[in-house]
């Protein structure tokens, strides 16, 4: 190929940045052997990077498959305890509990969400009693509990009432903390909820309870399978969460959300969904240097599983590749339904 002026310019830039160019510099040299590829690896995944989201429902001895999430089940409290035992032995530091609430227990206020002996609190107590040394994280939001599927309370016009919702969220956080929850994780996207929850926790002697804020949570289509899993797909119907969750087109706004949550007392921040928003994780990590987490949400999980089950992709390979992408983007960890499967693979080496 003729060497034109443009190529010469590029070659000179390369020379200035990296030293002599081809043939002296050969990028493939470092990739030739397995040991050298390991030596030059920039990011690593370990079981300590995982937060494992689990679904829980009423009943005994249940492991009920979630249709839209092949490989994921809803546990009853007893089987959850066994599953957590395995996760703990694999070195997973924390699980995140999500409830499937029976439809007849739901109402417009999500009243069951603030009852001390509700499913979430019983699940927390069961897990903590059996495994005091694994972290337990819980969502704070109303959508699994309301008969309209929204994360907040509605006024007569069907609009979300921000400040009244926060009062309920504070109660929800308190009963979860009382039950032994280690990390309160508000996923509702109401304004001002982190500060209010921090204040409520501190005022009730729960100063040690951490807050992981769903800071940049987008109004995403990728939550579909999750909503089926917790039973909020049918209650929400075609309604939109776009008045509180973020516009997928925005990233400056994500930085403002994160800045507010940090100022209000968040210990850790989260970006959600994950894979389509790795640019947001990178910006957040670079700007704030906070413990930053990405949520590989249900739709991301199901896409990989569906393609793998069809034989279109290598499931294990794509699982690990998708997870290391979070580390590469700057995340300190990832919430993933793959946590146990990935931790097992890592253990095998
Ligand atoms: C509830 C909540 C959602 C998810 C986590 N917490 C769904 C939503 O906001 O509609 C999604 C998780 C997933 O898709 O895996 N506020």
């Amino acid at each position: 190929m003729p060497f034109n002026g443009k190529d010469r310019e590029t070659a000179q830039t390369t020379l200035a940045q990296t030293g002599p160019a081809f043939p002296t510099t050969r990028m493939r040299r470092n990739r030739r052997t397995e040991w050298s590829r390991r030596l030059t690896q920039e990011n690593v995944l370990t079981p300590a990077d995982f937060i494992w989201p689990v679904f829980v429902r009423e009943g005994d001895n249940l492991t009920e498959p979630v249709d839209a999430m092949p490989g994921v089940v809803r546990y009853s409290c007893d089987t959850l305890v066994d599953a957590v035992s395995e996760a703990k032995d694999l070195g997973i530091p924390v699980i995140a509990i999500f409830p499937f609430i029976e439809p007849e227990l739901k109402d417009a206020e999500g009243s069951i969400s603030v009852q001390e002996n509700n499913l979430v609190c019983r699940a927390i107590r069961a897990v903590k009693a059996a495994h005091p040394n694994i972290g337990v994280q819980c969502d704070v939001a109303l959508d699994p509990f309301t008969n309209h599927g929204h994360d907040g309370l509605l006024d007569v016009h069907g609009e979300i009432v921000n400040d009244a919702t926060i009062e309920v969220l504070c109660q929800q956080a308190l009963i979860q903390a009382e039950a032994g929850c280690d990390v309160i994780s508000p996923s509702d996207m109401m304004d001002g909820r982190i500060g209010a929850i921090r204040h409520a926790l501190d005022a009730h002697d729960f100063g040690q309870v951490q807050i992981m804020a769903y800071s940049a949570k987008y109004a995403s289509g990728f939550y579909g399978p999750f909503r089926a899993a917790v039973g909020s797909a049918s209650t929400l119907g075609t309604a939109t969460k776009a008045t509180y969750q973020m516009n997928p087109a925005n990233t400056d706004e994500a930085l403002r959300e994160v800045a507010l949550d940090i100022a209000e007392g968040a210990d850790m921040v989260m970006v959600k969904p994950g894979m389509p928003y790795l640019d947001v994780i990178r910006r957040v990590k670079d700007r704030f240097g906070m413990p930053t987490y990405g949520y590989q949400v249900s739709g991301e999980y199901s896409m990989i599983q569906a393609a793998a089950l069809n034989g279109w992709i290598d499931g294990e390979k794509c699982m690990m590749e998708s997870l290391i992408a979070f580390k590469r983007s700057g995340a300190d960890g990832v919430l993933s339904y793959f946590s146990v499967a990935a931790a097992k693979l890592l253990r095998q080496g």
Side-chain angles (χ1 to χ4, degrees):
M1 218 199 268
F3 199 79
N4 64 29
K6 185 92 179 76
D7 286 340
R8 204 168 299 127
E9 218 173 88
T10 316
Q12 276 161 4
T13 317
T14 313
L15 193 64
Q17 284 168 355
T18 63
F22 182 82
T24 313
T25 299
R26 289 181 183 262
M27 297 301 283
R28 292 180 55 206
R29 214 175 271 134
N30 286 344
R31 297 181 201 136
R32 198 173 67 88
T33 55
E34 191 271 340
W35 64 261
S36 179
R37 288 192 293 275
R38 278 194 289 127
L39 183 67
T40 54
Q41 177 160 330
E42 298 175 33
N43 294 285
V44 287
L45 200 57
T46 81
D49 292 319
F50 298 128
I51 299 172
W52 185 35
V54 293
F55 298 112
V56 61
R57 63 163 303 158
E58 296 290 355
D60 295 308
N61 202 22
L62 293 178
T63 49
E64 177 182 76
V66 175
D67 291 340
M69 301 179 73
V72 170
V73 300
R74 296 186 194 95
Y75 297 102
S76 44
C77 287
D78 52 352
T79 55
L80 176 64
V81 169
D82 296 339
V84 172
S85 171
E86 186 188 22
K88 186 181 145 286
D89 291 344
L90 286 165
I92 293 172
V94 53
I95 62 156
I97 296 177
F98 295 94
F100 171 89
I101 301 294
E102 306 300 325
E104 61 273 14
L105 293 177
K106 300 184 184 187
D107 59 23
E109 286 79 43
S111 321
I112 192 91
S113 70
V114 296
Q115 289 178 14
E116 281 167 19
N117 214 24
N118 69 16
L119 176 63
V120 176
C121 292
R122 278 182 279 122
I124 300 169
R125 284 192 205 101
V127 169
K128 283 311 263 190
H131 311 294
N133 295 329
I134 194 165
V136 171
Q137 174 168 332
C138 282
D139 249 40
V140 163
L142 299 185
D143 54 317
F145 309 94
T146 53
N147 57 15
H148 45 70
H150 277 294
D151 294 33
L153 302 175
L154 302 179
D155 69 12
V156 287
H157 309 292
E159 291 224 10
I160 304 283
V161 203
N162 192 93
D163 298 9
T165 298
I166 289 181
E167 287 175 32
V168 185
L169 298 178
C170 286
Q171 287 177 51
Q172 197 185 0
L174 287 175
I175 60 156
Q176 291 176 356
E178 177 71 44
C181 178
D182 300 292
V183 185
I184 294 292
S185 205
S187 72
D188 55 287
M189 289 298 279
M190 296 301 117
D191 289 327
R193 89 279 205 217
I194 300 300
I197 291 171
R198 181 73 271 159
H199 189 75
L201 290 171
D202 290 350
H204 289 83
D205 223 13
F206 296 120
Q208 81 288 1
V209 171
Q210 293 153 272
I211 297 180
M212 179 184 289
Y214 286 74
S215 299
K217 177 171 177 179
Y218 289 85
S220 173
F222 290 101
Y223 307 149
F226 172 98
R227 290 180 189 167
V230 301
S232 70
S234 50
T235 47
L236 188 64
T238 56
T240 177
K241 296 193 177 186
T243 69
Y244 44 106
Q245 299 180 348
M246 281 181 54
N247 179 346
N250 297 352
T251 74
D252 286 341
E253 187 184 349
L255 299 183
R256 295 183 65 206
E257 283 282 6
V258 170
L260 284 168
D261 286 355
I262 296 170
E264 291 176 28
D267 301 289
M268 302 175 269
V269 296
M270 192 206 299
V271 173
K272 178 184 172 197
M275 288 158 64
Y277 296 85
L278 295 180
D279 58 319
V280 181
I281 296 179
R282 170 52 67 194
R283 285 194 79 188
V284 167
K285 187 66 185 177
D286 284 352
R287 173 75 66 93
F288 301 104
M290 283 286 285
T292 303
Y293 301 83
Y295 197 145
Q296 182 179 50
V297 299
S298 55
E300 303 177 55
Y301 170 87
S302 296
M303 284 195 302
I304 293 173
Q305 289 293 75
L309 286 170
N310 273 297
W312 296 336
I313 59 172
D314 177 331
E316 281 189 355
K317 202 161 187 285
C318 292
M319 167 176 80
M320 298 313 269
E321 187 177 332
S322 70
L323 293 168
I324 197 73
F326 283 85
K327 297 298 296 288
R328 205 187 56 239
S329 76
D332 295 286
V334 52
L335 292 92
S336 175
Y337 302 97
F338 285 125
S339 295
V340 168
K344 275 187 195 160
L345 265 190
L346 290 169
R347 274 293 149 95
Q348 287 164 19

